[in-house]
């Protein structure tokens, strides 16, 4: 199984190509004239842009898919896939075995794209999915290049499965692709040469879990392989290894994020991994709960990465504010990131009802914005204050609703709606700016 890919990668290692020379996108390797240099190529692009509205247009694409001009062939296959018509998929399957790796890669994507279309009238039981699944699995068995194999893996996650058995067959192939890296690493194949295949398999696993999780759960083997990629507990060469955040996203999608992996991810050196882990920690499905979760969230509120702090803030509001109070939220109002600070101001209005300290903080933030420069903090605070204290908001609303910056007046309209201030709303309904009138 997949012996062809191993043999090809062995040949790559003998040429001693430096890692930076490895082509991840096979389209970059096409040694062919520009597609616009021929009338046929220009016709293919025009038909693709028009989405092939007529039968002759489709015939042109099918004919061009068999072209000896590499770029025309790839463009025609891509155009056929973008039509999202299952009746055309049959014309695409043969290109999974085309001589050029770029053609096989595009065909794998186009096949899955085409299967997004409506079921064929003569296929009421959906047996076409079985045939396409088998074609992709067979192509993976004999594939000798990493890029097409990676695209096949992605497509295995995208097919419109209807039966558990179909999902499990795709699952088994994804496991094979993710497992082949161990053998590659031991034999010291060219670093980075397997990356497109492994990256595609991770993407395929994420799609499989996200799109078909209601049909069945993925195998324990696939879950374990993803966990190893997230935590780095794998023999995969570092240059072959997909990004840990991609593996974590896939692990979350297949509902395989266990407590140990979550803890390791929360302490990861990768900002994007900590962000995803923070999102999971603050969700209802978190494997870490109670005071332990609260402690982690408080620590993450001081993370060096603003996106991690943002997700930690959202998680704290969802899971901890009722028991832990609003002080951590009010502290985040002073965050150096405006993105995080605004989220904290908004959270005060939504989650800190009855907290006098929150009312005072929102009052101080809802001062009249300057006529030039940043206005966001004050405008968001105006809306938050309207939710916290009708009396105090009414005072601040007067200057906000007459401000020279239209965005401030737009937020003032939102605050007036919360307060039920029809007089202010009627005046702003005739504002010179259409965004203000709409609000």
């Amino acid at each position: 199984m997949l012996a062809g890919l191993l043999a090809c990668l062995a040949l790559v290692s003998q040429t001693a190509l430096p890692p930076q020379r490895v082509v991840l996108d096979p389209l970059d390797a096409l040694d062919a004239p520009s597609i616009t240099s021929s009338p046929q190529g220009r016709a293919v692009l025009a038909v693709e842009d028009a989405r092939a509205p007529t039968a002759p247009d489709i015939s042109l694409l099918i004919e061009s898919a068999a072209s000896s001009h590499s770029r025309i062939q790839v463009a025609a296959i891509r155009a056929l896939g973008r039509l999202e018509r299952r009746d055309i998929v049959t014309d695409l399957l043969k290109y999974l075995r085309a001589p050029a790796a770029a053609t096989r890669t595009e065909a794998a994507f186009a096949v899955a794209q085409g299967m997004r279309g409506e079921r064929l009238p003569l296929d009421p039981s959906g047996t076409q999915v079985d045939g396409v699944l088998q074609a992709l699995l067979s192509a993976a068995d004999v594939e000798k290049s990493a890029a097409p194999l990676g695209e096949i893996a992605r497509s295995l996650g995208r097919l419109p499965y209807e039966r558990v058995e179909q999902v499990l067959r795709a699952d088994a192939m994804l496991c094979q692709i993710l497992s082949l890296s161990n053998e590659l690493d031991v034999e010291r194949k060219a670093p980075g040469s397997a990356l497109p295949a492994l990256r595609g398999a991770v993407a395929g696993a994420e799609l499989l879990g996200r799109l078909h999780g209601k049909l069945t759960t993925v195998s324990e083997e696939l879950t374990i392989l993803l966990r190893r990629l997230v935590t780095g507990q794998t023999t995969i060469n570092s240059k072959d290894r997909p990004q840990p955040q991609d593996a974590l996203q896939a692990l979350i999608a297949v509902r395989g994020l266990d407590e140990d992996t979550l803890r390791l991810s929360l302490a990861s050196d990768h900002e994007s991994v900590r962000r995803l882990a923070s999102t999971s920690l603050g969700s209802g499905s978190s494997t870490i709960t109670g005071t332990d979760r609260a402690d982690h969230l408080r620590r993450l509120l001081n993370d060096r990465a603003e996106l991690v702090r943002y997700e930690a803030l959202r998680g704290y509001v969802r899971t901890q504010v009722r028991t832990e109070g609003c002080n951590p939220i009010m502290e985040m109002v002073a965050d150096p990131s405006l993105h995080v600070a605004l989220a904290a101001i908004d959270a005060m209005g939504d989650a800190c009802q009855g907290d006098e300290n929150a009312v005072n903080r929102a009052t101080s933030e809802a001062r009249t914005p300057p006529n030039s420069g940043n206005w966001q903090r004050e405008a968001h605070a105006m809306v938050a204050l309207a939710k916290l204290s009708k009396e105090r908001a009414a005072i601040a609303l007067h200057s906000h609703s007459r401000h020279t910056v239209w965005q401030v007046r737009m937020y003032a309209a939102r605050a007036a709606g919360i307060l039920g201030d029809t007089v202010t709303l009627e005046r702003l309904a005739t504002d010179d700016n259409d965004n203000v009138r709409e609000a």
Side-chain angles (χ1 to χ4, degrees), residues 149-340:
L149 184 59
E151 199 56 62
I152 290 172
R154 286 188 183 88
S155 293
L156 287 173
R158 297 175 62 201
L159 293 184
Y161 301 123
E162 297 180 357
R163 300 196 309 277
V164 172
E165 181 266 344
Q166 295 170 331
V167 176
L168 296 181
R169 292 183 69 193
D171 180 306
M173 178 55 72
L174 294 176
C175 288
Q176 287 188 49
I177 298 173
L178 289 173
S179 299
L180 69 85
S181 56
N182 294 326
E183 188 172 351
L184 290 177
D185 188 63
V186 170
E187 296 185 16
R188 299 185 182 278
K189 298 297 189 290
S193 55
L195 178 60
L198 298 173
R199 189 165 54 191
V202 169
E206 191 275 335
L207 288 162
L208 201 66
R210 176 160 52 86
L211 300 179
H212 308 296
K214 293 183 179 180
L215 192 59
T216 185
T217 56
V218 302
S219 68
E220 182 65 18
E221 180 184 2
L222 182 56
T223 301
I224 291 174
L225 288 169
L226 291 173
R227 285 174 184 163
R228 290 173 179 171
L229 287 174
V230 173
T231 59
Q233 298 172 346
T234 176
T235 58
I236 298 177
N237 186 295
S238 60
K239 292 187 179 296
D240 282 315
R241 198 175 300 161
Q243 292 296 316
Q245 64 266 25
D246 296 334
L248 179 56
Q249 186 69 66
L251 188 60
I252 293 171
V254 303
R255 301 190 295 278
L257 183 58
D258 62 345
E259 182 176 342
D260 290 341
T261 307
L262 177 56
R263 290 184 184 278
L264 289 171
S265 299
L266 290 170
S268 172
D269 292 333
H270 296 267
E271 171 186 330
S272 51
V273 172
R274 298 198 307 278
R275 180 185 66 82
L276 285 171
S278 299
T279 303
S280 295
L281 180 68
S283 70
S285 60
S286 173
T287 52
I288 299 176
T289 58
T291 57
D292 196 7
R293 171 160 61 183
D295 292 341
H296 277 289
L297 286 171
R298 287 195 194 93
R299 176 178 59 81
L300 292 167
L301 287 173
N302 296 303
D303 193 273
R304 62 183 180 275
E306 65 176 273
L307 290 180
V308 176
R309 299 196 301 273
Y310 177 81
E311 293 298 342
L313 174 61
R314 295 179 65 199
Y316 183 89
V317 172
R318 281 194 298 263
T319 65
Q320 305 301 319
V321 68
R322 291 184 179 179
T323 57
E324 304 292 328
C326 281
N327 284 339
I329 297 177
M330 286 183 281
E331 291 174 0
M332 297 304 289
V333 172
D335 193 273
S337 166
L338 181 62
H339 181 65
V340 177

Side-chain angles (χ1 to χ4, degrees), residues 28-44:
D28 294 337
L30 289 176
D31 184 16
S34 169
I35 187 174
T36 58
S37 63
S38 70
Q40 184 181 16
R42 293 192 293 271
V44 167

